């Protein structure tokens, strides 16, 4: 039997669409780096690119897609509605489509459950919250401009509020959340799964200068597998059942992060990584006008 090719593996969403489980993340990628990174990723075989209006790089993502020569129909593009656009969902999407130079996105996420007042970003709209935003996002499905809608950075508490609303007719296809061994969020992942919501892990490598890369347990598993620590982290996520969107702008690392064919972690190796006890979050909520993380998803 041929070895499973994890790099071509997909996860089936509630809509029936298949999301490639390894994508290129573009958060914190610098100016004039993103288009080349996207082009390199697509040439290396990636078929999933993740971006957001808030990243300020959608134009470069679109340029990288065109430069790659890969047909748009073969690429899964995810982008996100920014917090200050919650009352203007159509305009937010239109801005993203124009920057990306595409007629549609495969997945449109509400970036944060925070309806931020654009005139004062320290304030939250008093007359509008994420349930109202989701009501407007649902109207995009079937327009040809958005194939799936989902959320990002939603804790169980906010998911319950969203799903219990009579206005909610479509369950989010995806919840994109921070996932790595030092922020595994098993309760949240299990909740997502129980509701038919696919989990995508961002900061799946622990982000820049991650203490994970000096963790003895991770390094021991990587040495045994003869793989990089990054590859082990990605495989750990895939075997947990979520998709991963590692960020890199270096062609060699982009390619290395995609070399996940024909091997997997043994059960005891997964348990070894699970036993890493240190906890940290790359992305908190202190910069938002509302609290969105409640510490109850572990």
């Amino acid at each position: 039997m041929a070895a499973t090719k994890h790099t071509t593996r997909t996860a089936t969403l509630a809509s029936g669409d298949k999301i490639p489980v390894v994508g290129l993340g573009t958060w914190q990628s610098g100016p004039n780096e993103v288009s080349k990174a996207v082009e390199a990723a697509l040439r290396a075989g990636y078929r999933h690119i993740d971006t957001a209006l808030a990243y300020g790089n959608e134009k470069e993502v679109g340029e990288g897609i065109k430069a790659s020569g890969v047909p748009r129909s073969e690429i899964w593009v995810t982008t996100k509605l920014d917090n200050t656009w919650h009352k203007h969902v159509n305009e937010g999407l239109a801005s993203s489509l124009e920057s990306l130079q595409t007629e549609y996105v495969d997945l449109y996420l509400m970036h944060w459950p925070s309806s931020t007042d654009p005139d004062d970003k320290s304030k939250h709209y008093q007359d509008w919250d994420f349930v109202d935003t989701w009501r407007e996002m649902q109207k995009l499905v079937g327009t040809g401009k958005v194939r799936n809608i989902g959320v990002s950075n939603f804790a169980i508490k906010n998911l319950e509020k969203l799903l219990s609303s009579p206005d909610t007719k479509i369950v989010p296809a995806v919840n994109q959340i921070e996932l790595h061994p030092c922020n595994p969020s098993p309760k949240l992942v299990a909740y997502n799964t129980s509701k038919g919501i696919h989990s995508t892990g961002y900061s799946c490598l622990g982000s820049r200068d991650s203490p994970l890369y000096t963790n003895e347990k991770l390094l021991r598993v990587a040495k045994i597998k003869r793989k990089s620590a990054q590859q082990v982290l990605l495989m750990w996520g895939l075997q947990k059942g979520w998709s991963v969107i590692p960020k890199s702008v270096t062609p060699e690392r982009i390619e290395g992060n995609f070399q996940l064919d024909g091997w997997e972690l043994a059960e005891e190796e997964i348990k070894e990584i699970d036993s890493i006890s240190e906890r940290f979050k790359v992305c908190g909520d202190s910069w938002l006008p509302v609290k969105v993380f409640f510490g109850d998803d572990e």
Side-chain angles (χ1 to χ4, degrees):
M1 183 182 289
T4 300
K5 291 194 171 185
H6 291 287
T7 47
T8 56
R9 191 169 67 188
T10 59
T12 303
L13 303 181
S15 65
D17 285 353
K18 298 181 184 300
I19 184 171
V21 294
V22 182
L24 179 75
T26 61
W27 179 45
Q28 293 185 325
S29 296
N32 305 314
E33 294 180 323
V34 177
S35 60
K36 291 178 181 177
V38 169
E39 181 182 357
L42 292 171
R43 290 184 183 276
Y46 286 70
R47 289 297 179 267
H48 179 179
I49 306 296
D50 180 272
T51 183
L53 194 156
Y55 300 167
N57 62 21
E58 289 172 312
K59 186 173 185 293
E60 282 198 55
V61 168
E63 291 168 353
I65 289 172
K66 289 205 168 182
S68 74
V70 177
R72 171 67 183 90
S73 60
E74 294 181 14
I75 304 168
W76 182 283
V77 176
T78 298
T79 195
K80 310 175 190 80
L81 178 75
D82 199 8
N83 304 344
T84 54
W85 292 72
H86 276 219
K87 282 191 175 184
H88 305 283
V89 170
N90 286 317
E91 293 89 337
L93 174 63
S95 173
S96 290
L97 293 178
E98 182 179 2
S99 296
L100 289 163
Q101 302 173 66
T102 186
E103 294 180 354
Y104 70 96
V105 290
D106 299 272
L107 178 61
Y108 195 47
L109 302 178
M110 190 189 316
H111 204 157
W112 292 87
S114 175
S115 303
T116 304
D117 186 341
D119 296 323
D120 185 349
K121 293 182 182 179
S122 69
K123 294 180 180 178
H124 186 273
Y125 282 124
Q126 294 300 307
D127 61 343
W128 191 279
D129 69 9
F130 59 79
V131 175
D132 300 302
T133 309
W134 188 252
R135 184 186 62 241
E136 297 306 306
M137 288 180 66
Q138 291 177 132
K139 296 175 184 176
L140 301 174
V141 179
T143 63
K145 297 178 181 180
V146 171
R147 301 216 164 152
N148 297 272
I149 55 173
V151 296
S152 182
N153 298 300
F154 267 64
I156 293 173
K157 181 177 178 179
N158 281 338
L159 284 171
E160 288 182 332
K161 179 180 177 181
L162 180 65
L163 295 176
S164 65
S165 168
D167 284 343
T168 298
K169 310 298 183 187
I170 299 174
V171 174
V174 170
N175 187 13
Q176 186 180 121
I177 52 179
E178 180 175 339
L179 288 172
H180 49 77
C182 295
N183 192 66
S185 302
K187 288 182 181 177
L188 177 53
V189 171
Y191 183 88
N192 288 340
T193 303
S194 75
K195 300 299 181 182
I197 301 170
H198 175 72
S199 299
T200 294
Y202 73 77
S203 293
C204 46
L205 301 179
S207 202
R208 295 174 179 173
D209 303 318
S210 171
L212 273 167
Y213 298 133
T214 57
N215 185 278
E216 291 183 5
K217 292 180 177 180
L218 175 62
L219 295 177
R220 185 160 57 243
V221 172
K223 186 176 181 180
I224 292 169
K225 304 306 286 189
R226 296 183 179 179
K227 302 294 180 184
S228 69
Q230 289 90 339
Q231 289 169 326
V232 170
L233 288 169
L234 296 174
M235 185 62 75
W236 176 81
L238 293 181
Q239 288 183 237
K240 290 281 186 180
W242 55 72
S243 50
V244 292
I245 46 172
K247 172 257 170 180
S248 181
V249 295
T250 309
E252 295 78 17
R253 287 184 182 172
I254 289 171
E255 194 163 338
N257 288 342
F258 203 60
Q259 291 172 353
L260 303 169
D261 293 359
W263 64 280
E264 60 182 23
L265 299 172
E267 188 175 344
E268 59 269 21
E269 292 165 340
I270 292 175
K271 287 180 179 177
E272 178 81 345
I273 296 170
D274 287 346
S275 72
I276 293 173
S277 59
E278 183 181 3
R279 292 288 179 264
F280 68 83
K281 282 182 73 68
V282 173
C283 205
D285 61 6
S286 60
W287 60 282
L288 291 167
V290 290
K291 191 171 182 62
V292 302
F293 300 131
F294 309 102
D296 57 352
D297 293 334
E298 285 297 311

